[in-house]
């Protein structure tokens, strides 16, 4: 797929891959073998009907392809861009065994973009209102997918979001050079066409508790994500110039610090930036720092490239953009100058030992191997924790380990009428998994509303 | 939704606003704050909820117009809607019957002192209020303070009103005079809060301060507001903003507060009245008081679907 050349793209926030044209998409789609038992579908958390939509693309029937995808995936323009296809659908594609798998994600993106550009995204005809009302807490992919499905079944849906803009990580985390905001806006418009209301600046647990919301709604879906930053717990972490990736990315993505002072929120991005971590978040922070003008950006990761959880494409793009990698290294201290600004990071070299519980080889420190990297900005991207506001203010909501919300197979929590899904249940995962959880919860909520409950006066 | 229903300049560059926010008015308790954004390119910034009227569905904000965001807010008239307002945030103050409480407000720190002093008084405490300011024209909320407290001492740096000197001088004098003080609350500029902490430390008087690090979301999601308390990292927006003064690392707080001082200066320059085409004030012909600000409406249309 054509891309913006690296030298050009490090100076803008425009999308990197430029997308297929119709001809290229049809050519790519015609490589699909139309397997009778399509393994690719098993790799997709929401079981997109891959061979069916790919065939429609090969035949040039793009609007039909778009409708086919939408049957199981409410937001294909987003998933086509951010799914880790190499570990999901494309991993399972039989063609991948001996060559390149079908570029399912890129085709999905093409179809969704095409439908958007050609005005083919029309809200489906909605069934008559059921009279039931559902509250959705959090407007990330989990909440949005759940809301869309419920609205399509005639329920009245209100989403509550604490920020001043909807989208969750899609808004404040994933940079626009990976997910242009027009794509997100279009999906939100679609949701509006379905009649979904979004109440922004509404902090559930503060503006109103979950119990208060229960009085206005017949059921609730909680999708508050795992947005709390983790820090390393090492000396010097509170020096000036040290950020959580969350803060760094929020300042740029949500608050537009890349356009300071036109936008008033500043961000400090020096010339020598060190990013700690090996996931998508670390790649996004590093690539954002390059675009803010940092000359030297180094990603420090305690395992090797093979273990990096980031999408392959992001790692390749980061490398092309001049981001350097320090593998098998772990920070032990951040050092400051007299004014309290970070000036270097002390790292210790690691070696890989025995595999741990996750099956990945455990990094072990090498004694006496400390070295220093000069830096004027350090960004910590080592994972996140459950957002605690809702659990803390809802005493009868049962939790699993580490503050995540416990659910049963149907997505129901310990609290009658309250369902949950996405990162707040699983811990940091993926966009498509959160969407899948949202859709499953929508099914369960629909069943809960329409069968199990005694009908009340407005039912 | 969050319409300004009344405003007045209570001292030089210090404003008191009454804003419609029924849900926040219902929920808020002493010590909590809101996060605002006044226009679509603006920052998110925190202000304490000074009081609320659940029946009217309004909250009271008092702020000093110090920088870009607060100056823009100070230009907004009655009838205008504040673009974004979220809250109430932060932990409510821990209130109990302590006995005699000294409540110290430095400068516009008086604004956040008022709600906490009110709650302490309601819990049956005896209140000695100490209000310090640079000079007479910066003394704010005096009448209200007198109504809440059993006794009020006022001091100014230049002696233009009340005692000459700092709030710490007054507090020291009280302690020296043998006044039994069981609890101290101090809110104001960070050096003032630090000085109070150092003063009360040897006497072992329980002392609480309200910290004001730079915040972004105000809900625990960025970590920008982190402060060190008793050697542990805390997020002021969710673990605070009030902390045990004797455990706070004030040095780190002051450094972190200055993190963007250069950039803030740059932003302010762009928004000096009439100085640039971006000028936001009415006089400059760029009326900031368009109730349904077009740009804002655009930004919202995107994120707030119809039907909302
Ligand atoms: C920088 C970054 C890059 C990523 N890149 C990828 C990628 O390339 N591919 C991929 O598949 N995944 C990626 N992920 C992971 C993915 O974004 C998440 O797994 C997914 O967004 C989880 O969705 P969610 O709906 O559960 O929660 P979130 O997206 O976190 O949304 C939760 C929403 O709830 C709101 N909220 C929280 N508490 C409250 C409350 N009390 N009241 C009201 N609202 C509340 C939050 O403000 C937020 O908007 C990335 C994550 C990050 C941070
Ligand atoms: C919990 C809390 C409650 C507060 N309550 C009040 C109040 O009741 N009345 C009042 O006048 N002020 C209050 N403040 C301070 C107020 O938030 C700042 O004065 C305001 O953000 C300044 O913004 P500015 O753009 O006008 O100024 P800037 O030019 O941006 O900055 C001026 C000063 O404000 C600080 N500041 C800037 N942005 C922020 C931010 N996002 N968060 C915190 N500080 C910032 C800077 O460090 C600087 O010292 C409170 C702060 C906190 C954290
Ligand atoms: S939703 Fe994601 S995993 Fe599923 S087919 Fe599309 S790109 Fe692949
Ligand atoms: S596994 Fe690959 S070749 Fe087979 S149907 Fe799926 S995409 Fe086509
Ligand atoms: S302001 Fe972001 S965590 Fe406190």
């Amino acid at each position: 797929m054509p891309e913006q050349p690296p030298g050009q793209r490090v100076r803008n926030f425009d999308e990197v891959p430029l997308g297929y044209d119709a001809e290229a998409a049809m050519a790519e789609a015609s490589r699909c073998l139309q397997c009778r038992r399509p393994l690719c579908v098993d790799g997709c958390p929401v079981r997109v009907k891959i061979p069916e939509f790919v065939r429609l693309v090969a035949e040039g029937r793009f609007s039909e392809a778009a409708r086919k995808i939408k049957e199981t995936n409410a937001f294909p323009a987003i998933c086509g861009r951010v799914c880790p296809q190499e570990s999901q659908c494309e991993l399972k594609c039989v063609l991948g065994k001996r060559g390149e798998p079908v570029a399912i994600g890129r085709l999905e993106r093409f179809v969704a973009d095409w439908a958007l550009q050609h005005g083919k995204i029309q809200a489906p005809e909605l069934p008559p209102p059921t009279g039931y009302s559902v509250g959705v807490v959090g407007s990330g992919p989990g909440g949005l997918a759940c809301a869309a499905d419920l609205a399509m079944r005639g329920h009245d849906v209100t989403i509550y979001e604490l920020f001043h803009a909807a989208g969750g990580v899609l808004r404040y985390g994933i940079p626009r050079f990976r997910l242009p905001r027009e794509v997100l806006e279009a999906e939100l418009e679609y949701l509006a066409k379905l009649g979904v209301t979004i109440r922004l600046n509404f902090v559930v647990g503060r503006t109103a508790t979950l119990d208060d919301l229960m009085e206005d709604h017949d059921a609730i879906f909680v999708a508050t994500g795992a947005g709390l930053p983790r820090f390393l717990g090492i000396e010097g972490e509170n020096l000036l110039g040290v950020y959580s990736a969350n803060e760094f990315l929020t300042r740029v993505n949500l608050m537009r610090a890349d356009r300071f002072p036109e936008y008033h929120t500043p961000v400090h991005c020096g010339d020598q930036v060190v990013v700690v971590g090996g996931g998508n978040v670390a790649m996004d922070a590093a690539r954002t720092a390059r675009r803010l003008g940092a000359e030297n950006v180094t990603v420090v990761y305690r395992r090797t490239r093979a273990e990096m959880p980031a999408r392959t494409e992001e790692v390749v793009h980061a490398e092309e953009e001049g981001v350097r990698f320090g593998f098998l290294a772990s920070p032990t201290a951040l050092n400051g100058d007299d004014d309290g600004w970070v000036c270097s990071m002390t790292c210790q070299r690691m070696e890989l030992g025995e595999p741990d519980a996750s099956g990945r080889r455990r990094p072990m420190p090498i004694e006496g191997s400390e070295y220093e990297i000069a830096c004027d900005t350090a960004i910590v991207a080592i994972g996140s924790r459950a957002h605690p506001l809702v659990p803390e203010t809802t005493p009868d909501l049962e939790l699993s380990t580490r503050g995540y919300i416990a659910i049963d197979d149907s997505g129901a929590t310990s609290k009658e009428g309250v369902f949950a899904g996405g990162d707040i249940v699983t811990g940091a995962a993926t966009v498509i998994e959160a969407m899948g959880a949202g859709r499953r919860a929508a099914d369960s909520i629909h069943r809960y509303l329409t069968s199990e409950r005694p009908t009340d006066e407005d039912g | 939704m969050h319409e300004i229903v009344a405003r007045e300049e209570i001292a030089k560059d210090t404003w008191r606003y009454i804003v419609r926010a029924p849900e926040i008015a219902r929920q808020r308790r002493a010590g909590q704050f809101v996060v605002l954004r006044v226009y679509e390119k603006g920052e998110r910034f925190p202000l304490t909820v000074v009081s609320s009227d659940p029946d009217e569905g309004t909250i009271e904000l008092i702020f000093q117009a110090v920088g870009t965001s607060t100056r823009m807010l100070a230009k907004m008239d009655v009838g205008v809607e504040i673009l974004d307002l979220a809250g109430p945030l932060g932990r409510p103050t821990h209130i109990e019957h302590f006995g005699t409480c000294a409540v110290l407000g430095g400068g516009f720190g008086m604004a956040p002192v008022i709600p906490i002093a009110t709650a302490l008084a309601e819990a049956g405490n005896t209140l000695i209020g100490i209000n310090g300011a640079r000079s007479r024209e910066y003394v704010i909320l005096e009448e209200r303070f007198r109504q809440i407290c059993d006794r009020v001492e006022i001091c100014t740096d230049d002696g233009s009103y009340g005692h000459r000197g700092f709030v710490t001088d007054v507090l020291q004098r009280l302690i020296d005079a043998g006044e039994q003080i069981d609890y101290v609350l101090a809110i104001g500029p960070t050096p003032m809060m630090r000085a109070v902490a150092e003063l009360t430390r040897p006497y072992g008087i329980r002392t609480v301060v309200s910290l004001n690090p730079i915040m972004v979301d105000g809900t625990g999601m960025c970590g920008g507001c982190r402060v060190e308390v008793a050697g542990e990292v805390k997020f002021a927006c969710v673990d605070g903003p009030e902390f045990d003064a004797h455990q706070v690392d004030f040095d780190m707080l002051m450094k972190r507060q200055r993190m963007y001082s250069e950039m803030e200066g740059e932003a302010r320059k762009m928004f000096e009245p009439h100085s640039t085409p971006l000028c936001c004030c009415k006089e400059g012909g760029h009326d900031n008081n368009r109730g349904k600000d077009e740009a804002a409406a655009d930004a919202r249309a995107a994120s707030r679907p119809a039907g909302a």
Side-chain angles (χ1 to χ4, degrees), chain A residues 162-166 171-172 185 188 191-192 196-203 206-209 212 227-229 231 237-244 246-247 250-251 254-255 259-268 338-341 385 387 389 392, chain B residues 1 23-24 27 32 37 39-44 68-69 72 83-91 214-217 219-224 226 228 233 235 238 252 255-256 258-260 263-264 266-267 270-271 278 300 302-308:
Chain A
L162 62 81
F163 272 124
H164 57 260
R171 171 80 60 180
Y172 71 79
E185 301 305 356
L188 291 171
L191 216 56
V196 172
T197 304
I198 303 189
R199 287 225 35 205
L200 300 171
N201 300 309
F202 196 108
V203 189
R206 290 276 184 260
T207 315
T209 62
D212 295 334
L228 252 68
F231 284 93
E237 210 155 17
N238 299 317
L239 289 165
L240 283 70
V242 182
Y243 283 106
S244 72
N246 261 17
E247 180 180 2
T250 300
R251 281 179 178 271
L254 178 72
M255 305 307 297
R259 284 169 62 182
F260 179 87
E262 181 199 349
Y263 285 74
H264 305 337
T265 304
V267 70
H268 167 81
D338 293 343
D339 299 325
W341 282 88
R385 295 178 288 141
H387 203 293
L389 256 182
E392 259 175 31
Chain B
M1 189 157 56
E23 278 141 347
I24 300 173
Q27 295 284 340
Q32 290 187 300
R37 205 170 65 120
Y39 94 132
E40 127 265 6
K41 294 181 178 175
E43 261 190 286
R44 293 171 64 94
T68 318
S69 307
M72 288 184 98
L83 181 61
D84 296 299
L85 182 69
L89 302 171
R91 288 223 170 120
I214 294 176
M215 294 186 174
V216 182
D217 57 296
T219 65
M221 292 174 75
C222 74
R226 58 199 192 276
E228 224 170 279
V233 175
F235 290 3
V238 283
M252 176 189 135
K255 283 186 175 144
R256 288 188 63 86
R258 284 197 300 269
M259 181 149 163
Y260 300 102
M263 297 177 98
E264 279 154 4
E266 203 182 313
M270 275 193 87
F271 287 83
L278 281 172
R300 291 178 153 224
S303 48
R304 182 172 294 166

Side-chain angles (χ1 to χ4, degrees), chain B residues 2-300:
Chain B
H2 300 301
E3 186 194 354
I4 297 167
V5 296
R7 80 198 258 274
E8 89 185 278
E9 189 169 12
I10 58 172
K12 191 172 159 14
D13 291 332
T14 307
W15 292 85
R16 173 173 178 272
Y17 275 43
I18 305 293
V19 178
R20 188 165 315 288
E23 278 141 347
I24 300 173
R26 212 168 29 239
Q27 295 284 340
R28 81 99 215 177
R29 282 151 68 197
Q32 290 187 300
F33 60 93
V34 288
V35 165
L36 309 83
R37 205 170 65 120
V38 294
Y39 94 132
E40 127 265 6
K41 294 181 178 175
E43 261 190 286
R44 293 171 64 94
F45 65 101
L47 291 178
T48 303
V49 182
V50 177
S51 74
S52 58
D53 185 333
D55 297 331
E56 290 290 319
T58 57
I59 59 171
E60 179 188 22
L61 305 173
I62 295 177
F63 63 94
Q64 208 180 25
V66 288
T68 318
S69 307
T70 45
R71 283 191 213 177
M72 288 184 98
L73 178 58
K75 292 246 159 42
M76 294 169 68
D77 242 324
V78 169
V80 175
E81 303 215 345
I82 293 180
L83 181 61
D84 296 299
L85 182 69
L89 302 171
R91 288 223 170 120
T93 311
H94 172 75
I95 301 286
E96 60 177 87
H97 183 89
F98 297 106
T100 300
C101 305
V103 288
L104 285 66
F108 62 97
M110 275 302 286
V113 161
I114 294 287
I116 304 172
T118 308
L120 285 169
E122 278 165 5
N125 292 287
T126 303
L127 259 59
I128 305 175
I130 307 176
N131 177 9
R134 250 186 297 163
S135 64
R136 181 171 200 134
E137 58 179 334
Y138 291 100
V139 174
I140 57 167
L141 300 168
E142 181 184 345
E143 251 336 285
R144 222 150 126 197
F145 206 34
R146 287 192 188 280
Q147 276 164 24
I148 301 164
C149 298
D150 297 272
R151 173 172 140 206
V152 167
E153 307 270 0
I154 290 180
C155 58
T156 47
D157 297 1
D158 62 0
S160 55
Y161 189 49
H163 308 275
R164 172 192 290 271
F166 301 123
V167 287
T168 39
D169 300 332
V170 179
L171 182 60
Q172 185 71 61
R173 208 171 318 130
L174 290 176
I175 293 172
D176 291 345
E179 190 87 50
Q180 166 67 35
I181 295 173
D182 305 296
Y183 174 99
V184 171
L185 167 79
I187 308 180
T190 312
M192 168 235 168
M193 294 195 281
R194 192 223 305 254
V196 173
E198 288 319 314
L199 192 165
T200 58
R201 190 191 305 276
Y203 301 100
I205 304 173
R206 175 177 190 153
T207 303
V208 170
V209 287
S210 178
L211 304 183
N212 57 341
I214 294 176
M215 294 186 174
V216 182
D217 57 296
T219 65
M221 292 174 75
C222 74
C225 65
R226 58 199 192 276
V227 290
E228 224 170 279
V229 182
E232 263 181 62
V233 175
K234 299 279 179 191
F235 290 3
C237 68
V238 283
D239 302 321
E242 282 149 44
F243 294 99
D244 176 350
H246 298 147
Q247 307 280 352
V248 171
D249 182 341
F250 286 104
D251 193 44
M252 176 189 135
L253 174 64
M254 281 198 282
K255 283 186 175 144
R256 288 188 63 86
Q257 281 170 332
R258 284 197 300 269
M259 181 149 163
Y260 300 102
S261 45
E262 253 169 62
M263 297 177 98
E264 279 154 4
E266 203 182 313
R268 251 187 323 266
K269 238 178 283 150
M270 275 193 87
F271 287 83
E272 288 298 312
H274 326 308
S275 64
T276 72
L278 281 172
C279 169
C280 58
C281 70
K282 270 203 282 192
E283 295 81 354
H286 308 270
D287 192 347
N288 192 33
N289 288 322
R290 291 170 297 172
K292 298 276 173 280
D293 188 316
E294 263 175 57
D298 285 351
R300 291 178 153 224

Side-chain angles (χ1 to χ4, degrees), chain A residues 29 31-41 50-52 54 89-90 92-96 100-104 107:
Chain A
R31 291 179 52 229
C32 171
L33 304 176
Q34 294 293 315
C35 306
R36 294 226 345 257
R37 236 194 70 45
L39 295 174
C40 51
V41 177
I50 298 169
E52 287 93 328
V54 172
C89 52
E90 294 176 19
K92 297 280 176 74
C93 171
V94 289
L95 283 181
E100 280 292 302
V102 174
I104 302 166
L107 289 174

Side-chain angles (χ1 to χ4, degrees), chain A residues 22-226:
Chain A
E23 213 177 312
M26 287 165 72
E28 177 62 25
S30 55
R31 291 179 52 229
C32 171
L33 304 176
Q34 294 293 315
C35 306
R36 294 226 345 257
R37 236 194 70 45
L39 295 174
C40 51
V41 177
D42 296 338
C44 171
V46 297
R47 302 191 68 83
V48 166
K49 295 178 177 157
I50 298 169
E52 287 93 328
F53 102 75
V54 172
R55 197 183 65 222
L56 290 165
V57 176
E59 292 167 1
R61 292 152 68 189
F62 303 141
S63 345
E64 283 161 82
R67 252 173 283 141
K68 186 56 75 185
I69 300 174
K70 280 249 179 196
E71 282 175 22
T72 56
N73 179 351
F75 305 110
I78 295 172
C79 298
R81 288 174 163 88
V82 305
C83 266
Q85 290 93 4
E86 74 270 12
S87 55
Q88 297 181 352
C89 52
E90 294 176 19
L91 173 75
K92 297 280 176 74
C93 171
V94 289
L95 283 181
K97 295 221 167 65
R98 238 174 288 132
E100 280 292 302
V102 174
I104 302 166
R106 291 170 174 188
L107 289 174
E108 198 168 302
R109 170 189 161 173
F110 165 78
V111 169
D113 287 358
W114 187 91
L116 214 63
Q117 277 152 19
H118 293 78
K120 297 291 182 202
I121 308 289
Q122 269 139 21
E125 210 155 300
L126 295 175
T130 60
Y132 289 118
S133 157
V134 183
V136 172
V137 187
S139 66
L144 296 178
C146 184
D149 272 20
L150 287 167
M152 282 196 277
R153 286 171 173 150
H155 304 301
D156 180 37
V157 185
T158 303
I159 301 182
Y160 298 90
E161 167 57 48
L162 62 81
F163 272 124
H164 57 260
V169 171
L170 306 175
R171 171 80 60 180
Y172 71 79
I174 299 180
R176 59 197 73 227
F177 55 82
R178 283 217 285 136
L179 179 66
R181 290 309 179 254
E182 305 83 74
V183 173
L184 176 59
E185 301 305 356
E187 303 297 16
L188 291 171
E189 258 166 53
Y190 178 73
L191 216 56
K193 282 188 199 150
L194 296 177
V196 172
T197 304
I198 303 189
R199 287 225 35 205
L200 300 171
N201 300 309
F202 196 108
V203 189
V204 177
R206 290 276 184 260
T207 315
T209 62
L210 200 67
D211 288 304
D212 295 334
L213 294 188
M214 288 301 288
E215 286 172 23
D216 297 336
H217 301 291
D218 302 297
I220 306 264
F221 179 59
V222 180
T224 47

